[in-house]
């Protein structure tokens, strides 16, 4: 079954890439310039869509960093672009809600007290779609844009749907989603993360494990579409 699922992923992504870029191709525009047809828009302000046919979440954004140390793969626009490869036009809570609609099961964020316990939750596969300056379409797994410093190769770990959490403003009584501050798709462990790695990965500057894989990333400002797909079956769940 696992082999069958893995074989289906390129086919699914190819179909999704066509769906997401067909209107852009007609107008000779870059990926992200037009709303993807046949998808349900989930936010009145953010560029977040739901693909019911493929149980996928689609978010528009752009490349904001190509080299340097990382704490995130993706953050909401206007938050942590200095340590993220991609900034997305959405709030983190909108991605969380969209993943729930796609059937994803959140787990628990990382904890450090009294002992380290890794983030847990359903595995979320993440893909990036874009067009180059010649209009050629590309797609990549998000891991391909991240280099493991110690192993000198693409990051090999999957992200899990940790689910972040809420904090309450004592003065107003209003609750706020913690990851809206930037911790959307993390490569360093944060108890505020929506998606995190299920391995120990510190945010200490001298011990950061991951950097941007410059050779694999298109120029800054490139419009991208990020596709989040909850992994099906037993392999998609971590405890």
């Amino acid at each position: 079954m696992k082999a069958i699922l893995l074989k289906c992923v390129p086919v699914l992504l190819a179909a999704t890439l066509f769906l997401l870029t067909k209107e852009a191709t007609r107008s000779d525009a870059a990926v992200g310039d037009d709303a993807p047809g046949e998808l349900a828009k989930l936010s009145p302000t953010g560029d977040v869509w739901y693909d019911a046919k493929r149980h996928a979440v689609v978010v528009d954004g752009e490349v904001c960093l190509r080299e340097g140390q990382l704490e995130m793969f993706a953050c909401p626009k206007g938050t942590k672009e200095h340590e993220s490869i991609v900034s997305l036009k959405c709030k983190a809570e909108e991605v969380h809600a969209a993943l729930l609609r796609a059937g994803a099961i959140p787990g628990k964020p990382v904890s450090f007290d009294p002992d380290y316990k890794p983030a847990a939750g359903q595995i979320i596969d993440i893909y990036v779609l874009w067009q180059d300056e010649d209009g050629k379409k590309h797609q990549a797994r998000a891991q391909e844009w991240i280099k493991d410093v110690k192993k000198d190769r693409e990051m090999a770990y999957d992200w899990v749907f940790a689910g972040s959490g809420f904090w309450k403003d004592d003065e107003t009584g209003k609750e706020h989603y913690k990851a809206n501050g930037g911790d959307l798709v993390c490569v360093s462990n944060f108890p505020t993360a929506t998606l995190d790695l299920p391995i120990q990965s510190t945010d200490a500057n001298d011990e950061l494990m991951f950097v941007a894989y410059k050779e694999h990333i298109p120029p800054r400002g490139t419009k991208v579409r990020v596709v989040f797909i909850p992994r099906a079956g037993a392999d998609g769940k971590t405890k």
Side-chain angles (χ1 to χ4, degrees), residues 21-230:
T21 59
K22 62 180 182 178
E23 291 191 15
T25 301
R26 287 179 190 151
S27 62
D28 197 29
V31 175
D33 284 353
D34 298 306
E38 301 178 22
L39 304 184
K41 197 167 193 294
L42 300 182
S43 169
T45 56
D47 289 346
V48 183
W49 292 268
Y50 176 56
D51 181 346
K53 186 180 296 184
R54 300 172 181 83
H55 303 291
V57 175
V58 179
V59 188
D60 274 359
E62 66 179 45
V63 174
C64 58
L65 182 148
R66 293 189 67 238
E67 55 185 311
Q69 295 178 315
L70 298 175
E71 292 188 2
M72 320 289 159
F73 166 73
C75 68
K77 186 176 181 180
T79 58
K80 295 187 175 182
E81 284 91 341
H82 62 289
E83 50 201 8
S84 305
I85 296 174
V86 172
S87 64
L88 297 178
K89 300 176 183 177
C90 66
K91 295 179 179 179
E93 64 186 62
E94 294 173 327
V95 175
H96 183 125
L99 286 171
L100 293 178
R101 181 165 177 175
I105 301 172
K108 294 181 179 180
V110 64
S111 61
F112 300 97
D113 187 21
D115 300 306
Y116 171 80
K117 290 184 179 180
Q122 187 164 359
I123 293 173
I124 307 297
D125 292 311
I126 304 176
Y127 299 87
V128 191
L129 315 178
W130 75 99
Q131 290 182 8
D132 61 27
E133 59 184 9
D134 297 321
K136 184 178 179 180
K137 301 171 186 177
H138 300 270
Q139 65 183 49
R141 297 173 69 243
Q143 286 89 338
E144 295 175 38
W145 286 15
I146 301 167
K147 179 183 283 189
D148 187 320
V149 175
K150 294 181 180 180
K151 298 179 181 179
D152 194 30
R153 65 185 187 192
E154 296 169 2
M155 188 182 80
Y157 306 105
D158 293 313
W159 281 281
V160 296
F161 186 16
S164 189
F166 291 85
W167 65 274
K168 188 173 183 178
D169 187 320
D170 292 334
E171 292 186 5
T172 65
K174 185 177 180 180
E175 290 191 332
H176 301 270
Y177 187 68
K178 293 179 179 178
N180 282 345
D183 303 338
L184 178 51
V185 183
C186 300
V187 296
S188 292
N189 298 147
F190 291 97
T192 51
T194 302
L195 275 67
D196 204 348
L197 299 179
I199 54 109
Q200 193 162 4
S201 179
T202 180
D203 63 340
N205 286 336
D206 57 347
E207 297 181 36
L208 287 172
M209 295 174 60
F210 304 106
V211 298
Y213 210 139
K214 181 179 179 180
E215 293 79 4
H216 296 181
I217 304 171
R220 285 184 60 188
T222 298
K223 304 297 183 182
V224 298
R225 279 191 172 137
V226 179
V227 182
F228 300 83
I229 305 176

